[in-house]
């Protein structure tokens, strides 16, 4: 299965100048303070219309809070000027429940930042399809079963939401085709025992009934603070055989990205991991619906990783501020990554940076 989007890998190697600046900075805070994230995940809205059984951020409480579009209209151009290249709207809530989401998308794109979404797909509206679909690079819907009954059980919602998501996805695919847009439209499913027997069915739904570009099948990862622990001990070894079955569902215009590499790492646990996190607080950031900026989404609500609030400070003053300097010191000297989330978003980036920094490849000069 061709992972043309490198979803089961990383793309930091396409940003050599940022990596070179990072390597040059070393322990010099004056230089390190100027290395801005390439990618930022922003949660525009805190509440959610679903209560998925695997929700990693259930501990935050699905609070009814949202980011001010006018504030973002000021901060986003600043972020772009400082080096931010992409924003994914997702987060602790459902991003499409934000009433001003179309204005936020427009402001992001106007600032010169690439835009993407991860959503459960239920709140997709005709207005969103008309105004925002032409402006976004990709949209990925969390679609965690192949039948309405299992979908309702995993998403902890009503079966009719399954059919609504199908309609919304078809609407986007049809609009893209009719208008000649280049937005990539896909789905993802987190593989758990409840839906494991439906992955082939789901792939066929995505391919034949909707016309999506891809389906991602990925493993669960236990969040440090999550109240949900039902899948903590899940063993992905028995599910690896699904890769071959799902490969048969691929076509020239539809791919299944079975994240077997990540599942194998889940089976291996912490064995062979890098000794410390290199990516934090450098190459990415997370903005909560409260406006609080975090250096790592695995530590939301942990004050050691909270850098400042966009409602009160510029992004530059946050990123070059004392709280980020202290966070960098913590990550480099005091953070035990064995307590971190396994297979975190920056895991592959960390493996790459560990190699680059440690010169771990024998005969590295024989290119």
């Amino acid at each position: 299965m061709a992972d043309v989007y490198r979803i089961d890998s990383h793309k930091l190697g396409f940003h050599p100048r940022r990596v070179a600046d990072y390597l040059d900075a070393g322990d010099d805070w004056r230089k390190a303070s100027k290395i801005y994230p390439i990618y930022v995940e922003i949660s525009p809205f805190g509440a959610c219309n679903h209560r998925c059984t695997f929700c990693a951020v259930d501990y935050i409480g699905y609070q009814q809070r949202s980011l001010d579009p006018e504030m973002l209209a000021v901060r986003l151009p600043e972020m772009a000027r400082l080096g931010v290249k992409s924003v994914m709207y997702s987060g602790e809530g459902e991003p499409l429940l934000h009433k001003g989401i179309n204005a936020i998308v427009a402001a992001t794109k106007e600032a010169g930042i690439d835009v993407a979404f991860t959503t459960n797909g239920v709140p997709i509206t005709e207005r969103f399809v008309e105004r925002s679909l032409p402006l976004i690079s990709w949209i990925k819907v969390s679609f965690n079963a192949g039948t309405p009954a299992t979908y309702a059980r995993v998403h902890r919602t009503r079966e009719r939401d399954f059919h609504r998501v199908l309609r919304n996805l078809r609407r986007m695919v049809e609009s893209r085709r009719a208008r000649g847009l280049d937005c990539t439209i896909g789905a993802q499913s987190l593989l758990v025992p409840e839906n494991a027997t439906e992955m082939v069915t789901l792939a066929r739904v995505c391919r034949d009934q909707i016309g999506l570009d891809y389906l991602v099948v990925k493993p669960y990862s236990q969040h440090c603070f999550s109240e949900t622990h039902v899948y903590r001990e899940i063993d992905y070894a028995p599910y690896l055989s699904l890769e071959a079955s799902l490969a048969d569902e691929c076509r020239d215009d539809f791919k299944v990205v079975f994240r077997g590499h990540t599942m194998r790492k889940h089976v291996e646990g912490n064995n062979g991991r890098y000794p410390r996190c290199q990516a934090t607080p450098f190459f990415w950031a997370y903005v909560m619906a409260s406006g609080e900026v975090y250096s790592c989404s695995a530590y939301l609500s942990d004050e050691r990783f909270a850098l400042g609030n966009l409602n009160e400070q510029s992004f530059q003053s946050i990123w070059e501020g004392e709280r980020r300097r202290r966070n960098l010191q913590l990550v480099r000297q005091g953070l035990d990554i064995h307590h971190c989330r396994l297979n975190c978003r920056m895991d592959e980036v960390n493996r790459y940076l560990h190699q680059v920094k440690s010169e771990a490849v024998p005969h590295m000069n024989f290119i």
Side-chain angles (χ1 to χ4, degrees):
M1 288 174 280
D3 182 8
V4 297
Y5 308 103
R6 303 202 180 199
I7 293 171
D8 205 24
S9 180
H10 73 92
K11 295 180 279 284
L12 187 60
F14 293 100
H15 302 274
R17 184 168 297 174
R18 201 75 58 99
V19 174
D21 290 344
Y22 164 78
L23 294 172
D24 179 61
D27 294 322
D28 184 341
W29 168 244
R30 182 182 59 85
K31 292 182 178 180
S33 68
K34 303 291 186 181
I35 300 171
Y36 279 83
I38 297 168
Y39 159 81
V40 178
E41 183 173 337
I42 296 180
S43 176
F45 196 71
C48 189
N49 53 316
H50 285 180
R51 293 293 184 270
C52 299
T53 57
F54 52 76
C55 182
V57 291
D58 51 7
Y59 67 97
I60 295 172
Y62 312 105
Q63 299 177 52
Q64 286 278 352
R65 57 190 183 186
S66 61
L67 293 175
D68 181 1
E70 292 185 5
M71 178 274 289
L72 288 175
V74 175
R75 299 288 184 246
L76 287 164
E78 178 202 11
M79 292 164 70
R81 175 177 56 82
L82 294 167
V84 173
K85 294 182 178 295
S86 66
V87 165
M88 180 179 75
Y89 289 108
S90 181
E92 68 259 30
E94 167 50 53
L96 294 184
L97 291 177
H98 193 297
K99 295 186 184 302
I101 195 63
N102 293 308
I104 292 171
V105 170
T108 311
K109 192 65 177 178
E110 187 175 341
I113 297 174
D114 294 340
V115 188
F117 276 86
T118 296
T119 168
N120 63 42
V122 174
I124 293 171
T125 63
E126 191 63 48
R127 186 176 178 84
F128 176 80
V129 174
E130 181 66 26
R131 292 184 55 184
S132 292
L133 195 65
L135 303 180
I136 63 181
S137 298
W138 55 264
I139 183 167
K140 184 163 52 184
V141 170
S142 182
F143 200 30
N144 295 283
T147 64
T150 304
Y151 176 92
R153 191 179 316 127
V154 173
H155 284 253
R156 288 199 286 199
T157 186
R158 296 156 297 191
E159 290 189 16
R160 67 188 186 197
D161 277 358
F162 178 91
H163 302 288
R164 185 171 180 177
V165 172
L166 279 180
R167 290 194 301 271
N168 288 342
L169 284 169
R170 285 196 205 102
R171 183 193 307 170
M172 287 198 298
V173 169
E174 290 165 2
S175 178
R176 179 183 65 177
R177 183 185 304 115
R179 299 156 74 188
L181 306 178
D182 60 2
C183 172
T184 300
I185 305 173
Q188 69 176 13
S189 181
L190 197 147
L191 186 62
V192 291
E194 292 91 327
N195 64 20
T197 61
E198 297 186 2
M199 288 301 100
V200 170
T201 299
L202 177 60
R204 292 172 181 171
V205 168
C206 292
R207 184 191 67 204
D208 302 332
Q209 295 187 37
I210 306 172
L212 296 184
D213 298 307
Y214 66 82
L215 167 68
V216 178
V217 179
K218 67 178 188 177
Y220 173 79
S221 174
Q222 181 65 47
H223 194 285
C224 308
F225 308 126
S226 178
E227 294 176 3
T228 300
H229 291 92
V230 65
Y231 305 117
R232 175 185 287 274
E233 303 301 328
I234 190 170
D235 179 10
Y236 278 100
Y239 298 117
L240 292 174
S241 60
L242 272 173
E243 187 164 16
S245 301
L246 290 168
D248 292 337
E249 304 305 320
C250 292
R251 301 293 184 268
D252 289 342
D253 58 352
F254 175 76
K255 305 298 179 187
V256 179
V257 182
F258 184 83
R259 297 193 61 177
H261 175 57
T262 301
M263 291 183 197
R264 291 179 184 93
K265 289 188 296 180
H266 191 283
V267 173
E268 294 166 2
N270 286 317
N271 295 331
R273 284 180 87 190
Y274 37 86
R276 71 180 187 188
C277 180
Q278 305 278 0
T280 303
F282 288 102
F283 297 102
W284 78 313
Y286 184 101
V287 180
M288 294 186 72
S290 64
E292 198 72 25
V293 178
Y294 281 80
S295 62
C296 178
S297 68
Y299 289 94
L300 301 181
S301 299
D302 186 328
E303 286 301 311
R304 300 174 302 165
F305 290 81
L307 309 182
N309 195 296
L310 289 179
N311 292 308
E312 302 163 1
Q313 299 171 259
S314 69
F315 190 70
Q316 183 170 9
S317 65
I318 291 172
W319 203 253
E320 297 182 18
E322 174 62 18
R323 292 168 74 179
R324 179 169 169 254
R325 188 195 67 79
R326 292 200 304 265
N327 181 247
L328 173 58
Q329 186 177 31
L330 166 71
V331 172
R332 288 200 164 169
Q333 299 177 11
L335 181 66
D336 183 354
I337 65 165
H338 290 87
H339 298 152
C340 289
R341 189 176 186 180
L342 188 64
N343 284 331
C344 73
R345 188 178 294 276
M346 290 292 112
D347 182 66
E348 283 297 310
V349 167
N350 273 317
R351 290 171 188 263
Y352 169 72
L353 290 172
H354 175 59
Q355 274 201 333
V356 172
K357 290 202 73 171
S358 65
E359 300 182 355
V361 179
H363 312 149
M364 60 177 288
N365 292 330
F366 290 86
I367 61 173

